[in-house]
Every structure is written in structure tokens, then in C-alpha cells.
Amino acid sequence: MKRLGAGVAAVMCLAAAACGGGSDGDSGKAGGAGGGTAVSGAKVIDPNSMNAPPKGTITYCAGKDTSGAQAEVISQFNAKYGAEGYKVEQLEFSTSGDEQRTQFVQRQEARSDECDVFSSDVIWTAEFASQKWLYDLTPYVSEQRSRFIAAPLETVHYGDKYWGVPFESAAALLYYRDDQIETPPATWQAVYQEAKANDGIVYQGAPYEGLTCDFLELSFAAGGTVLSDDGTKSEINSPENVEALEFMVDGVKDGTAANGVTTYMEEESRRYWENGKATFMRNWPYAYALGNAKGSKVAGKFEVMPFPTFEGGGTAAILGGHNVVISVYSKNPGLSLKFADFYASPEWQKTQVIKYAITGTIPEAYDDPEVEKAIPYAPELKQAVTQAKARPVSPVYPQISQAIYKNVNAALSGQVSPADAMKTAAEQINKALATF
Ligand code: GLC
């Protein structure tokens, strides 16, 4: 990859600053990558192509459909447009975000047309756009911009262009058993104390993207950062980050964290929680609907809260979510855009949150009496999504994240000290930054 110019450094600075420590959620700016490396020569979508695309079938590739929401958005689309000759088929990838990325990258490197549309994690825009794997959707998004909440919209903005249609925006929640805990604790330290006195806490501690999120939530709350303001070097090896990691490691050592936590991703944590084995769980909003569904032992026995503060620091949440992106190898970009447009429609966005607790990207997905009935904490969620901090924005983000989660996991597993883990992570991040 090419070395980035000064403009990019400034952009990364913006993103890194938004990520950076501090207690307030100032990340209306989060993910503000719009000015990143200019990407020229990408195929540009014609927004009118979705009105009368060629008849046919397209494939929607996405991570494992654990909630069933993907199958339903597809069946609703097919019910609405099937008679006109339009159809979407589902191709499920892995549950792990890292593996989903690899599965998509392999297809794009082979110039395969297997995936017309892909559910792309908010952190992949910079890389996929730089590789010219995505249609430039600027002409479509420009017309639609005012419909979206700013933070998720920024996650498709890179190099002054828009590369996707945001459909899911998420900030994680702290789930707690309200039959065990009366008043939710105000600090992470108090959460761990209460967890220790009861049935512990479960989160995502496996070496993958989820652990980067879980760690950065504590790190940013403790005042840590990942990159320098100009985005050119690592700042991960700081006392704040070592303190956040020590806090997590202590929780594993003294048995406050679930036994298998260093191998758990979202779904393992959710199953552990639904079996009634933990007092607290850190997870994304989707676990709310499933936790209250048939078969869950904790149905009706839990509440959710925004994250508490880190003693001596503040509070922070990480912006998660997914965007519909269109592969440049799709043979039917018009139909792909029609599907993306449906995914972000108020009609689907409301169903998605009411039935599946998958939080949306437009205000109607929150400010609605039916939504507030199904998800009583919808206003807090909207606030959390609006204020959540972005992860660093960079074409080498996957390498930066690997440096974080591999070393954090090694510390949680007792293989290295928190100080050594941060030192190694810093070296690896600097190496990754030097490759472009
Ligand atoms: C969720 C989030 C995504 C994040 C992933 C980590 O899917 O939406 O942004 O990267 O979890 O596992």
C-alpha cells in the first residue's frame, strides 16, 4: 500500500483524537474519516439504477445469522419485489468478524462475483475502499444523507466519498441480573466487586475483533489512546492502558470473569449468560431480545445499563455496527442498491429493532412509540450510538487491531504481563503503520 499524504495524517488525527481518552463522548466526530486517502478510479453507482434494474437474483453475504434478522430482511424484500422478478439469496459467513473479513477478502482478491452485497463491519470501510473492492455510492448517499444519524454515516465516509449504506449502529451495554443486583454500580471497579460477590462477569475475551472493542471500552474510559494525534505512531503503551489491562487481568486471575472468557466471542458469552451463569455481561444490544426469548433461563430477570465510569477516568463506549456495501464484481449493482435502500428504510429499520433488538441508523429506529415499547431503553441507546467513540480509522486497521487483541489475550491468559503486552502491541502497531 502507498504511503499516505499529509491530508491522511490529519484525518487519522481527527479519528484518533475522537478515539482518544477523556470522559466525555465527543465523538459526534467519531470515525470522521471522510478526508482519508483519496480513492480514485472506483466504479461509481448510478442512483437511478435501483429503480428498474435487470431482473435476477443477487447474493447477500454476511456473518452467521444468529438472530434470524438477515433471513427476514431478505424474505420481506423478496415478498415485496419477487413478482417483479427480483430476488435476494443469503450466504452466511462465520460468527467471527475477523473470519467474515477474510471470507470477503478472499472472494474480492479472486475477483469473484459470489457476493453482490456484503455486511461490512464499520471498521473495514477504509481498507475495502482503498483496495477498490467497493462501488462508490456517493451519488446515492448524497441524496439520502439527511436521513441518517451522523455517527453511523461517518463510518461509510472515507477519502471524501461514501462507500456503503449504514443499516446497523451499535454501542454495547452492560447486562445485569436485577434479581441479584438492586442498584446498578456506578464504576467498573464496583461492577467487578459485585460480580465477584455474586456469579461473576462474562465478556468477549477471545483473540479477535470483539476483544479489541472490550479492551478499548476500558482503555478509553481510563484515559488511554491507541494512536498519536497525527495518526503516525502508537500511543498504546501508556500507564492508562496498562492500568485498564491490569484491571481485566486481575478479574480473570481472581475468578470474577467467567472461566472460559479468554476463548469467548459474543455467542459464547450470550449462551453462558442465558444459562444463568453470570451476574453481569458485556454485549451488543442484540442479546437483549434473545435473552428474553423462550429457552433463556434469564428471561425477565435482567436489565441493561450504559457503561459505568472507570475510577479516576471517565466513561466510554465503542461504536460498532455494519453497513451494506456493494462489490465491484457484482453483475447487478442496481438490484444490490435496491436491497441496500430497503435495508435502511424506516419500514425495515423499525422491524429490525422491535423484533431483533438490532439497533438502526436512522432516527425512526429509536424515536417511535412501538420501538420504545419493545426496547424501553431506546432513548439511551440512541444517545449511546450518537456518542460512542470510533476505533482508529486506517487502511491497516486490521493489523492495528490484531496487535491489540493478540497481546491483550496473551495477558488475560497469563502468558505475559500487562506492561509487556502493551509494549509488544506498540511495536507491532508502529510496524503496521510503517507499511503504508
Ligand atoms: C459487532 C459490532 C462490530 C464489531 C464486532 C466485534 O458485530 O457491530 O462493529 O467489530 O461486534 O466482534
Short mmCIF file of all heavy atoms in Angstrom, two decimals, residues 121-123 168 208-210 213 266 284 320-322 391, ligand 1:
data_model
loop_
_atom_site.label_atom_id
_atom_site.label_comp_id
_atom_site.label_asym_id
_atom_site.label_seq_id
_atom_site.Cartn_x
_atom_site.Cartn_y
_atom_site.Cartn_z
N ASP A 121 -18.40 -4.63 8.47
CA ASP A 121 -18.20 -4.02 9.79
C ASP A 121 -17.76 -2.56 9.60
O ASP A 121 -17.01 -2.25 8.66
CB ASP A 121 -17.12 -4.82 10.54
CG ASP A 121 -17.11 -4.55 12.04
OD1 ASP A 121 -17.28 -3.40 12.44
OD2 ASP A 121 -16.90 -5.51 12.80
N VAL A 122 -18.19 -1.69 10.51
CA VAL A 122 -17.86 -0.26 10.40
C VAL A 122 -16.36 0.02 10.27
O VAL A 122 -15.96 1.06 9.77
CB VAL A 122 -18.42 0.54 11.60
CG1 VAL A 122 -19.94 0.56 11.56
CG2 VAL A 122 -17.95 -0.02 12.94
N ILE A 123 -15.53 -0.91 10.72
CA ILE A 123 -14.08 -0.68 10.73
C ILE A 123 -13.39 -1.04 9.41
O ILE A 123 -12.20 -0.82 9.25
CB ILE A 123 -13.42 -1.51 11.85
CG1 ILE A 123 -13.92 -2.93 11.74
CG2 ILE A 123 -13.66 -0.86 13.20
CD1 ILE A 123 -13.49 -3.87 12.82
N GLU A 168 -26.87 -0.89 10.55
CA GLU A 168 -26.85 -1.25 11.98
C GLU A 168 -25.82 -0.39 12.69
O GLU A 168 -24.68 -0.27 12.23
CB GLU A 168 -26.45 -2.73 12.17
CG GLU A 168 -26.44 -3.14 13.63
CD GLU A 168 -25.50 -4.30 13.94
OE1 GLU A 168 -24.83 -4.83 13.02
OE2 GLU A 168 -25.41 -4.66 15.12
N TYR A 208 -9.76 -11.85 19.00
CA TYR A 208 -10.42 -11.41 17.75
C TYR A 208 -10.95 -10.00 17.97
O TYR A 208 -10.79 -9.44 19.06
CB TYR A 208 -11.56 -12.40 17.36
CG TYR A 208 -12.84 -12.18 18.13
CD1 TYR A 208 -14.01 -11.79 17.50
CD2 TYR A 208 -12.86 -12.29 19.51
CE1 TYR A 208 -15.17 -11.53 18.20
CE2 TYR A 208 -14.02 -12.03 20.23
CZ TYR A 208 -15.17 -11.65 19.57
OH TYR A 208 -16.30 -11.38 20.29
N GLU A 209 -11.59 -9.46 16.95
CA GLU A 209 -12.04 -8.05 16.98
C GLU A 209 -12.86 -7.68 18.22
O GLU A 209 -12.74 -6.58 18.76
CB GLU A 209 -12.84 -7.75 15.70
CG GLU A 209 -13.27 -6.30 15.57
CD GLU A 209 -12.08 -5.36 15.52
OE1 GLU A 209 -11.02 -5.73 14.99
OE2 GLU A 209 -12.21 -4.23 16.04
N GLY A 210 -13.68 -8.61 18.67
CA GLY A 210 -14.52 -8.32 19.83
C GLY A 210 -13.69 -7.93 21.06
O GLY A 210 -14.08 -7.05 21.83
N CYS A 213 -12.66 -4.37 21.01
CA CYS A 213 -13.75 -3.50 21.49
C CYS A 213 -13.81 -3.52 23.01
O CYS A 213 -13.84 -2.46 23.65
CB CYS A 213 -15.10 -3.95 20.93
SG CYS A 213 -15.22 -3.87 19.15
N GLU A 266 -18.97 -13.24 21.10
CA GLU A 266 -20.31 -12.78 21.52
C GLU A 266 -21.24 -13.95 21.84
O GLU A 266 -21.95 -13.95 22.84
CB GLU A 266 -20.97 -11.92 20.43
CG GLU A 266 -20.44 -10.50 20.33
CD GLU A 266 -19.20 -10.38 19.48
OE1 GLU A 266 -18.68 -11.43 18.99
OE2 GLU A 266 -18.71 -9.25 19.29
N TRP A 284 -23.49 -6.64 22.86
CA TRP A 284 -24.18 -5.71 21.98
C TRP A 284 -25.69 -5.82 22.23
O TRP A 284 -26.16 -6.81 22.81
CB TRP A 284 -23.83 -6.03 20.53
CG TRP A 284 -22.37 -6.00 20.25
CD1 TRP A 284 -21.54 -7.08 20.17
CD2 TRP A 284 -21.53 -4.85 20.06
NE1 TRP A 284 -20.24 -6.68 19.91
CE2 TRP A 284 -20.21 -5.32 19.85
CE3 TRP A 284 -21.76 -3.48 20.05
CZ2 TRP A 284 -19.14 -4.46 19.61
CZ3 TRP A 284 -20.69 -2.63 19.81
CH2 TRP A 284 -19.40 -3.10 19.59
N GLY A 320 -19.98 0.29 17.22
CA GLY A 320 -19.98 -0.91 16.39
C GLY A 320 -21.05 -0.76 15.33
O GLY A 320 -21.74 0.25 15.26
N GLY A 321 -21.20 -1.79 14.52
CA GLY A 321 -22.28 -1.78 13.54
C GLY A 321 -21.82 -2.27 12.18
O GLY A 321 -20.66 -2.65 11.99
N HIS A 322 -22.76 -2.26 11.25
CA HIS A 322 -22.49 -2.81 9.91
C HIS A 322 -23.15 -1.97 8.83
O HIS A 322 -24.19 -1.36 9.06
CB HIS A 322 -23.01 -4.25 9.84
CG HIS A 322 -22.18 -5.20 10.65
ND1 HIS A 322 -22.39 -5.39 12.00
CD2 HIS A 322 -21.12 -5.98 10.32
CE1 HIS A 322 -21.49 -6.26 12.46
NE2 HIS A 322 -20.71 -6.63 11.47
N ARG A 391 -13.27 3.29 16.56
CA ARG A 391 -11.94 2.69 16.61
C ARG A 391 -11.05 3.43 15.60
O ARG A 391 -11.59 4.12 14.73
CB ARG A 391 -12.07 1.19 16.27
CG ARG A 391 -12.64 0.39 17.43
CD ARG A 391 -13.20 -0.95 17.00
NE ARG A 391 -14.61 -0.86 16.63
CZ ARG A 391 -15.34 -1.86 16.14
NH1 ARG A 391 -14.78 -3.03 15.93
NH2 ARG A 391 -16.62 -1.68 15.85
C1 GLC B 1 -20.24 -6.37 16.48
C2 GLC B 1 -20.07 -4.91 16.06
C3 GLC B 1 -18.82 -4.75 15.23
C4 GLC B 1 -17.63 -5.30 15.98
C5 GLC B 1 -17.86 -6.76 16.34
C6 GLC B 1 -16.74 -7.32 17.20
O1 GLC B 1 -20.57 -7.16 15.39
O2 GLC B 1 -21.19 -4.48 15.33
O3 GLC B 1 -18.60 -3.40 14.87
O4 GLC B 1 -16.44 -5.16 15.25
O5 GLC B 1 -19.07 -6.88 17.07
O6 GLC B 1 -16.93 -8.67 17.45
#
